[in-house]
Each structure stands twice: as C-alpha cells, then as structure tokens.
Amino acid sequence: MLIGCLLNNPSLSLRPDTPLTKADFAPQEFHKILFVCISHLAKAGVTDITELEIDNFIDKYEAQKEVLQDSNYYEFITTVKELANLDNFDFYYNTIRKFSLLRELKSKGHDISKYYDETEEEEKAQRQLEQWTIKDILNDIDHEASLFRNKYDINFVRNEMTAGEDTEELIEEFEQAPAFGSFLTSPYLTQLYMGLCRGHLIMNSSPAGTGKTRMMIADLCGISIDTLWNEEMNDFIKNPNYDGCGLFIHSELASRKEINPMFLACVSGVNVKHITMGQLTKEEKARVVKAGEILQRNNMILCDMPDFTSANIKRKIEDCVKNYGTTTIGFDYLQLQSAISAEYKATTSIPAREDLVLRALATDLKTYAEEYNVAIMTASQLNGMEKQMEFPDESCLSSSKAIKQKLDGACITLSAKDRPKECKMVEPYLKRKGFGDDNKPNIITYVYKARFGEYADQKIKVWRRFDRATLRNIDFFCTDQYNQLISIPKPVLEGEF
C-alpha cells in the first residue's frame, strides 16, 4: 500500500519529514527494486508512475528486471495503485518504519519481543506492535539506557539516591568528621568558607602587586607543611592543620630563585628579602636551612608551567595525587595564554575568547578538585572596576564574571591604602582599640561568595594585615558592605601554632 501511494504521488518519496530508504523495503527484494525505481523517477520530475515508466527505467538493469518480471510487476503496479489510499499514507509509512526500526534493533542484539513477539501468530504480534508508536519505542530504549547510565556513567550522573536514606549513618559521619575543611591563614575567611574542603575551588582576585601569590603560598604552607616556625615559641612546632602534601602550579616566576624563597620564608618566618639579598644572620640561615629540609620532607611540589593547558594541569594533579598523596593545590593564576587558547579552540571549534576560555578552565579546575578529591586555590587579576565600586564583586574580574558559578568561595583583596574612604569610616574604631600605624589593617578582603558558609548571602569585608616579608597574616575585624562592624566568630584550631 505504501508503494501504491508512492506510485500515485512520487514526490512523497522525497519529503524530508517522511524519509524513506531502500532499507525500509529490504525484506522483499521486489519491493526494494520498485522503490529505487520510484525514487529515481521522482527525482527526474515524474508526477505519476505507471508500469510503462518502470519498464523503461528498469530495462537497462537485467538482473533487477528479472526480479520484477518474476513477481509479475505489471499486474502488481496496476493493483496497488488502485487499492492505495493517499489519505492513509501516514499509517502505511509509520508501520513500515516501525518494522525497519525493529529490524535494526534486532541486528544490534536488542530484544524486540516487548514490541513485536516473533514467536506469536502474526495477527497477535501485529496487534502488539500497534500499541507502540516509533516515539514510544525510542523513549523506552532511552529509558533503559538511562538506567544503566545513571548506574555506571559518573560523568552523566555522579550519584543518585533517595533523599533521607541512611540518615543515621550520615549523622554519625558528620559527628565523627564535621563538614569543615582545613584552616586558611585568615581565621575569618576560614569561618566564612567553612574551611578549605577537598573537592572545593576557591579564588582570591587582586590587582597586580597586591600579594595574591604570597597569600596563596601562605595558605598552601599552612595546610601542606607539617612543621612551621612559631614566633611566640621561637621554634619550629608541629602544624595541627596539616592535611597532606601540596602542589603549587605557577606560570610567571622562576621556581628556584623567585618562588622557592617565598616558601622558605613562610616556613621559617624569615624575611624573604634577607634570603634573596644574601643578608641572612647566622640564626636566620639555620632556620632557612631547616625550612628547606621540612619542605623537602613534605614533598611540596613547585611546578613551573608557562604554557599550561587544562589537560596538562589534570595530568600533573593526577601524577602528584598518585605519587605523593597530594591533597591541596595552588594554581597561580587564571590567565589567557596561547597554549590554553589553542586547546580551547581545538576542543570546541569556537574562537578562543578570553571570558569563554577562562570560564572553561575554572570549570575544569572544579571538576579536577572533585575527581581527585583535592582542594584547589586559584587567583585572578581585576579589570579596574574595583576602583569605582563600594563593594567589589565578580563584575571586577578581568576574565569572566561567570567564573563565579564554579567557585565554592570567592573574594577580592585590595590594599587598604587604596581605599581611603572606607579606612576613614573605621578609623574611630582603630583608635579606640589602640591600633597604631604599624599595627593596623593593610589589606581588605571582600568576600562575595561563600557557598557553604552560614554567611553566604552577605557581603562581608575582612580587615587584615598581611606581612609580605614573612607571609604571616593577622585578622583584625569584619564589617558589612556599609563598613559597620559585625561579629563573626573566629574558629579555633586545637593546638593552634
């Protein structure tokens, strides 16, 4: 009947919304040959096909003509043209296509008995098939596939559970290990972020020269070095905040003569300039030598990767996790360069626009944090808008403010001397507390995202003093976005150094 419709209206074989191929007629060689003839004639512009047009077309194909003759095609064409009802074309079409779908599914090893049971009588199997549309069959197959995907493909659905299950076990897990990560050098940031947790990505953004690299190194040492110099104890003491080895990936400074001295200064508490200028006293030299031994023992890896790509970052993280048990990573910093741009373009076939590339890189860093169960810190530059804003936020990022979506914690740190208006508003408090010029905040950190903290919906400023020479931090107080003092508890680390 479908062939009869095509003979009466050959253009139906060319309609894009009802595609047909010779595979749809393959079970019957006779039908398949007729369809091929009809398709060619339709493309040639024939509007009504009789046995005469078929005869003229097939005449030069001896083998195919013989098949048609064996099936008495003259009589067949006349009969089906009379019986076929063009109004029923969609019914004929869908039935044929259903069988084509079932044949292909069967050829690929799929059990089709649910839709058409070939062991049953044909009439019963046909009624069974009538209960299914092509869309129904495809949806059913997709559903079965999704069950397996949910179970086995962690990139599709990482995990699936019913809310509320294993509640008592979950409570016990939190009682034994609260959802609070490692301490940062800033107690207030630690409280706002609920610590630096594995699987999390945090970012600190600053203008060039503010010290964001040193702040990151300070945080990394505070988590990944098991022994640190304590000024009050005048000795190296065990770090109760230690959580495993660290990795520092950087791209602009020389590891040995520019990055390594900062780590030595942080662990030893010795002024970094004394190290780099060769001005160490005998006592300081002994401390720095000891710091070097501590750093080596802790497998703190410094990786200079000027032409970084996302794939290379992943490879280095995987290598350090496997070989050293690395748990905390500093990536300094999100920036556009030729290698990452080329990788993005090759992967996506999209022009490597800065905002798109860096958003993709932030997305990958978050993925790696979760995949390898590590905590990642990163940084970025600013675009200058922070100079006009009362409370700088993601709109000040030099790359893409969409990066915020992938961050678990995010802040902007500015020099206090560049914010005279705000400093003037807190000046009465500083005088009342007796803070002098050498003992008052020199940086202000603007926290604009803290996904898991109890203050997540508030814009909070942390007033701090960061010593760029020894990479030590002091937190003074917190204010809201209007510079009004607010009370936020400082978390206390047991055995704090």
Side-chain angles (χ1 to χ4, degrees):
M1 293 300 98
L2 181 61
I3 288 174
C5 289
L6 298 178
L7 289 166
N8 287 326
N9 186 357
S11 66
L12 292 172
S13 67
L14 306 177
R15 272 183 15 183
D17 59 327
T18 55
L20 287 166
T21 70
K22 60 184 180 182
D24 295 313
F25 302 90
Q28 289 286 345
E29 186 71 10
F30 169 53
H31 292 164
K32 184 175 75 171
I33 294 171
L34 269 180
F35 171 74
V36 173
C37 294
I38 293 168
S39 294
H40 282 284
L41 291 168
K43 291 174 183 177
V46 179
T47 58
D48 182 55
I49 299 175
T50 67
E51 57 273 21
L52 181 61
E53 284 76 27
I54 297 293
D55 193 44
N56 289 335
F57 180 82
I58 203 68
D59 194 51
K60 53 184 174 291
Y61 304 101
E62 289 296 332
Q64 286 77 13
K65 184 175 182 179
E66 187 176 336
V67 173
L68 295 187
Q69 289 173 337
D70 289 346
S71 299
N72 194 10
Y73 72 102
Y74 266 68
E75 183 179 341
F76 176 85
I77 290 173
T78 302
T79 303
V80 297
K81 281 180 62 99
E82 291 178 357
L83 294 178
N85 184 345
L86 284 172
D87 291 337
N88 292 335
F89 173 78
D90 287 341
F91 170 74
Y92 304 147
Y93 171 82
N94 285 317
T95 302
I96 291 296
R97 292 288 282 181
K98 267 193 280 187
F99 276 110
S100 295
L101 172 60
L102 294 179
R103 286 196 301 275
E104 189 164 352
L105 288 172
K106 184 180 178 181
S107 72
K108 297 185 181 303
H110 202 286
D111 181 10
I112 64 169
S113 61
K114 185 177 183 179
Y115 320 113
Y116 185 87
D117 192 343
E118 296 176 285
T119 64
E120 295 285 354
E121 294 181 359
E122 185 176 348
E123 185 178 348
K124 185 175 181 180
Q126 188 79 304
R127 288 198 303 271
Q128 176 189 4
L129 183 59
E130 288 173 0
Q131 307 304 311
W132 295 87
T133 65
I134 291 176
K135 187 175 181 179
D136 289 339
I137 295 172
L138 294 174
N139 285 343
D140 189 58
I141 293 169
D142 282 344
H143 175 66
E144 289 186 11
S146 70
L147 294 178
F148 288 104
R149 188 175 294 278
N150 287 347
K151 186 175 182 180
Y152 295 106
D153 186 355
I154 60 171
N155 292 321
F156 178 71
V157 175
R158 183 172 52 193
N159 186 31
E160 185 171 306
M161 62 173 286
T162 302
E165 68 179 76
D166 296 329
T167 299
E168 292 184 8
E169 291 85 349
L170 181 63
I171 292 173
E172 184 176 342
E173 287 178 21
F174 283 140
E175 287 175 346
Q176 294 177 358
F180 199 99
S182 300
F183 277 49
L184 301 166
T185 55
S186 165
Y188 284 134
L189 287 181
T190 300
Q191 182 65 34
L192 293 172
Y193 291 157
M194 297 296 286
L196 179 58
C197 300
R198 298 192 194 183
H200 287 188
L201 173 65
I202 66 171
M203 184 172 79
N204 176 32
S205 305
S206 300
T210 308
K212 56 182 174 290
T213 296
R214 298 181 189 225
M215 294 178 205
M216 187 184 299
I217 290 174
D219 284 327
L220 190 56
C221 286
I223 297 171
S224 301
I225 302 300
D226 62 8
T227 305
L228 296 169
W229 177 263
N230 183 282
E231 200 63 39
E232 293 182 5
M233 300 290 292
N234 196 36
D235 198 0
F236 288 97
I237 69 170
K238 184 177 180 181
N239 178 9
N241 193 44
Y242 176 75
D243 189 44
C245 296
L247 165 65
F248 186 71
I249 301 174
H250 61 99
S251 59
E252 292 186 337
L253 302 177
S255 292
R256 187 168 182 268
K257 289 191 173 183
E258 294 174 322
I259 295 295
N260 193 46
M262 297 182 199
F263 279 88
L264 291 169
C266 185
V267 175
S268 68
V270 173
N271 189 322
V272 68
K273 282 190 176 181
H274 291 187
I275 299 173
T276 58
M277 298 301 291
Q279 298 173 347
L280 293 172
T281 65
K282 183 178 180 180
E283 186 270 336
E284 287 177 333
K285 184 175 181 179
R287 280 162 54 181
V288 174
V289 170
K290 177 69 173 177
E293 295 171 354
I294 293 170
L295 283 162
Q296 279 191 285
R297 184 184 72 228
N298 281 268
N299 291 313
M300 173 63 73
I301 305 301
L302 310 184
C303 179
D304 186 2
M305 196 181 289
D307 297 319
F308 64 81
T309 64
S310 179
N312 288 344
I313 294 169
K314 178 180 182 181
R315 195 175 297 116
K316 177 51 66 176
I317 292 174
E318 184 175 22
D319 175 63
C320 287
V321 169
K322 180 180 179 180
N323 293 318
Y324 306 111
T326 297
T327 63
T328 309
I329 295 161
F331 178 73
D332 187 34
Y333 56 97
L334 294 182
Q335 58 177 302
L336 190 68
Q337 41 86 348
S338 57
I340 190 74
S341 298
E343 179 189 50
Y344 179 82
K345 186 175 181 180
T347 304
T348 65
S349 298
I350 297 173
R353 210 174 67 202
E354 181 180 22
D355 59 331
L356 298 178
V357 175
L358 297 188
R359 183 178 65 182
L361 178 57
T363 300
D364 288 346
L365 289 177
K366 173 61 177 175
T367 300
Y368 302 154
E370 295 177 340
E371 182 177 350
Y372 295 104
N373 191 32
V374 295
I376 299 181
M377 299 176 283
T378 191
S380 75
Q381 297 278 22
L382 299 178
N383 57 22
M385 287 183 61
E386 73 279 0
K387 297 175 183 177
Q388 289 80 43
M389 295 184 66
E390 293 291 332
F391 192 99
D393 58 18
E394 67 274 13
S395 62
C396 300
L397 303 182
S398 66
S399 49
S400 167
K401 64 180 181 181
I403 288 176
K404 176 184 176 181
Q405 300 169 6
K406 299 301 177 182
L407 303 173
D408 298 292
C411 64
I412 288 174
T413 299
L414 303 177
S415 173
K417 65 181 177 59
D418 294 331
R419 312 291 286 188
K421 181 179 177 181
E422 293 165 69
C423 290
K424 188 173 182 179
M425 294 184 72
V426 300
E427 191 173 321
Y429 177 77
L430 293 174
K431 289 181 177 179
R432 190 165 67 249
K433 291 295 184 178
F435 294 119
D437 290 340
D438 296 331
N439 185 31
K440 67 179 182 181
N442 62 0
I443 58 172
I444 308 170
T445 295
Y446 303 79
V447 180
Y448 62 88
K449 183 171 184 180
R451 177 177 284 164
F452 298 102
E454 60 180 297
Y455 304 93
D457 59 343
Q458 301 180 41
K459 293 182 175 181
I460 295 174
K461 301 178 185 181
V462 181
W463 297 73
R464 311 160 55 192
R465 185 172 187 84
F466 185 74
D467 185 347
R468 292 163 58 91
T470 60
L471 284 67
R472 294 299 192 268
N473 176 84
I474 299 173
D475 278 6
F476 285 87
F477 52 86
C478 294
T479 63
D480 60 18
Q481 60 182 314
Y482 307 109
N483 300 301
Q484 299 298 310
L485 289 168
I486 55 175
S487 177
I488 292 178
K490 282 186 180 180
V492 177
L493 183 63
E494 186 176 345
E496 188 172 9
F497 53 89

